[in-house]
Amino acid sequence: MTAHGPGVPDPGLPGWERSPAEIRALGHRVVDLIADHLCGLPDGPVFRPFPPAEAAALAAGPVPTAGAAAHDVLDDVERLVLSYPFGNGHPRFHAWVNSPPHVLGVLAEALAAAMNPSVAGGNHAAVHVEHQVVRWFAELAGFPAGSGGLLVSGASAATVTALAVARHHAAARTGLDVRADGLQGHDRRFVLYLGEEAHGCVRKSAELLGIGAANLRVVGSDGAGRLRPGALRDAVRRDLADGHLPVAVVASAGTTNTGAVDPLDELADVCAEHGVWLHVDGAYGGPAVVLLDGHPAERAGLARADSVGMDPHKWLYAPVDAGLLLLRDPAAARDAFSLVPPYLRTDGDPGGVTGPVWFSEYGFEQTRGFRALKLWVLLKHLGVDGYRQLVARDLAVAAHLADAVRAAPDLDLLAHGLSVVCFRCRPDGVPADRLDELNRAVVTAVQLGGGSFLAGTTVGGVVALRACIVNPGTTTADVDALVAAVRAAGTAGAAIVVAP
Ligand SMILES: *Cc1c(COP(=O)(O)O)cnc(C)c1O
């Protein structure tokens, strides 16, 4: 017999059990902090570096031996953590692909954590919610009935998972069992095809899967950064003639750098001709391609892929992390990952304890968080129509930015795909060979200026400024302010660069 009942603190376990009143008090404080954070962001600088003295104090701070009151800990969170955000969520933050979270997604995270299930599998709500979310996305992507997938941490995890399945699949067709033998004991070279602007996670995956970076075939692109189908066909034929084993083609539905969408339908033709796995990386641009009408041929091509990765934590405004992997043939993933031997496999136990086939049979992770809840809540709340409006608005603001860049005599537009705009300063009097240096200085000046924030990159071998609009709170006035900040920094930089 214990002296304390549910919810009644046991004095012997400090800080463990909590009464409903305490939970409410802490929760209300946290909700206040969330409201202040989300609504107060626009009033502060877009970015300010974490103070070096605080960083040093954190680096040297001892392990807490005695505990502190929860409210005191939340004081620390308020002072030290919430005061120095990354920058995303501010309407004038345009760097990388970091969107603000929809507040319902934030609160759903807390609810998911309160339940704290493992979604490895089982017959509990979280499992069925994830199945529904995956099916909804599969339908939106145009995948056929019977397709499936799972939620992962992001597109890096989606890519390595998809390519592990593709590797197993390609090897099995030649009589190799990579699960048993790894890549040992045969002399065929596994090769992987990707575009010049494919995300770094493809190379990481190739290295991790034993394919090796030397066996990546970087296929050339056209002037708009789109992978060329003819070049892909030539590369695949050459490798087949040489006795190599094509594992997969990784195409992009929106490259991170310039927003280029590969000609997915033509690439799907090439893959079909040669029986090569097509993985579409739609981490950033997938929602725009799938939900809107701007890229009908690419949308049709995406629907033909063997696997698609998409990051709801980017352009669907879900809190990090939320990555999605769609699989045309989920059985292929089960073959690559399941440790349940085929003769013991069941197709689940819908009414019993074990529930549907476990997610852990389709990927690497065992204990899996309840990522699906935030996506389920957001899809139900916004609907596909709501998402269409939000994504379309980001595209329209990006188009406005591209127009403003075109109209500015001292700016050059270098690329504009989806909601990415890459450009650079070219003020009068600055020699061409100093423009990279100048634009690097402009990026830093704008970032530290606190008024706007964008990233530096390279496009076609030159230093560029890159803005990516994935925040429905960003207005045309905000991107006009960016253009003004960049031009001012360009003029100031030019004075230094051309100074004698
Ligand atoms: C962000 C991104 C990735 C990596 O996704 P993570 O969620 O960061 O793991 C891969 N591909 C593209 C095109 C991306 O934009």
Side-chain angles (χ1 to χ4, degrees):
M1 278 271 291
T2 54
H4 60 291
V8 179
D10 174 355
L13 289 174
W16 177 243
E17 292 193 33
R18 304 233 174 248
S19 69
E22 276 182 294
I23 293 172
R24 281 182 226 286
L26 285 172
H28 292 162
R29 169 100 193 267
V30 169
V31 169
D32 285 343
L33 290 174
I34 290 172
D36 290 347
H37 177 73
L38 292 178
C39 300
L41 274 174
D43 302 330
V46 186
F47 173 73
R48 48 181 171 159
F50 196 74
E54 299 283 17
L58 282 183
V63 179
T65 306
H71 277 285
D72 292 344
V73 177
L74 292 177
D75 287 345
D76 288 347
V77 172
E78 182 171 4
R79 183 188 64 82
L80 193 62
V81 182
L82 288 165
S83 304
Y84 301 98
F86 180 59
N88 61 314
H90 194 293
R92 296 192 176 178
F93 177 93
H94 318 294
W96 308 299
V97 195
N98 297 102
S99 54
H102 190 292
V103 66
L104 213 49
V106 175
L107 300 175
E109 282 284 66
L111 292 171
M115 294 181 77
N116 206 30
S118 169
V119 200
N123 196 0
H124 51 105
V127 166
H128 297 280
V129 167
E130 181 163 340
H131 275 295
Q132 181 167 65
V133 165
V134 168
R135 180 176 58 76
W136 281 344
F137 278 110
E139 277 182 39
L140 290 170
F143 268 40
S147 55
L150 70 171
L151 298 178
V152 292
S153 61
S156 302
T159 301
V160 76
T161 305
L163 294 180
V165 179
R167 182 188 68 158
H168 182 264
H169 178 76
R173 290 198 314 174
T174 65
L176 303 171
D177 181 354
V178 283
R179 294 190 62 172
D181 300 325
L183 302 183
Q184 331 258 14
H186 64 88
D187 51 13
R188 293 189 74 180
R189 221 166 239 280
F190 287 65
V191 294
L192 199 61
Y193 307 84
L194 72 169
E196 287 160 357
E197 293 222 328
H199 192 272
C201 71
V202 181
R203 175 172 174 164
K204 276 192 191 170
S205 299
E207 293 176 1
L208 203 57
L209 291 168
I211 293 168
N215 299 307
L216 291 174
R217 303 285 189 253
V218 180
V219 179
S221 44
D222 64 17
R226 295 154 45 97
L227 206 154
R228 286 188 293 116
L232 175 66
R233 185 177 282 109
D234 292 346
V236 172
R237 285 190 179 153
R238 212 165 29 242
D239 282 325
L240 287 171
D242 289 345
H244 302 329
L245 183 60
V247 171
V249 172
V250 179
S252 297
T255 58
T256 320
N257 200 34
T258 65
V261 182
D262 286 330
L264 301 177
D265 209 30
E266 291 162 77
L267 297 177
D269 288 340
V270 177
C271 289
E273 280 165 29
H274 299 286
V276 180
W277 186 282
L278 175 60
H279 176 73
V280 173
D281 180 359
Y284 154 57
V289 170
V290 163
L291 298 179
L292 301 175
D293 296 328
H295 295 80
E298 289 78 8
R299 181 165 63 187
L302 182 145
R304 296 170 61 194
D306 295 288
S307 52
V308 175
M310 220 188 274
D311 269 350
H313 67 212
K314 286 180 172 166
W315 215 352
L316 293 174
Y317 322 107
V320 173
D321 58 21
L324 167 73
L325 174 62
L326 294 178
L327 294 156
R328 174 170 303 277
D329 177 15
R334 213 172 167 200
D335 288 344
F337 284 107
S338 177
L339 287 173
V340 183
Y343 53 85
L344 286 181
R345 277 190 203 162
T346 71
D347 285 328
D349 173 17
V353 175
T354 55
V357 178
W358 282 39
F359 282 110
S360 54
E361 285 192 53
Y362 295 92
F364 179 73
E365 290 178 318
Q366 182 68 26
T367 302
R368 302 170 67 257
F370 191 5
R371 294 187 178 105
L373 187 64
K374 57 196 169 191
L375 304 181
W376 194 69
V377 161
L378 288 178
L379 269 164
K380 284 167 85 79
H381 174 57
L382 294 169
V384 175
D385 288 343
Y387 265 127
R388 286 195 174 113
Q389 284 175 36
L390 295 176
V391 172
R393 165 158 172 122
D394 289 333
L395 286 169
V397 171
H400 175 92
L401 172 60
D403 286 343
V405 168
R406 275 190 206 96
D410 49 350
L411 299 179
D412 281 344
L413 182 67
L414 299 178
H416 173 210
L418 298 176
S419 69
V420 177
V421 181
C422 296
F423 58 108
R424 73 185 206 144
C425 291
R426 194 172 41 78
D428 275 347
V430 177
D433 64 353
R434 306 291 300 275
L435 284 174
D436 278 358
E437 175 191 347
L438 173 81
N439 280 279
R440 245 180 254 127
V442 168
V443 171
T444 306
V446 172
Q447 288 179 341
L448 292 176
S452 288
F453 196 100
L454 83 182
T457 185
T458 60
V459 173
V462 304
V463 173
L465 299 95
R466 175 184 172 284
C468 178
I469 311 299
V470 283
N471 180 352
T474 295
T475 63
T476 53
D478 290 321
V479 295
D480 287 342
L482 170 70
V483 169
V486 166
R487 295 180 72 185
T491 306
I496 295 167
V497 168
V498 298

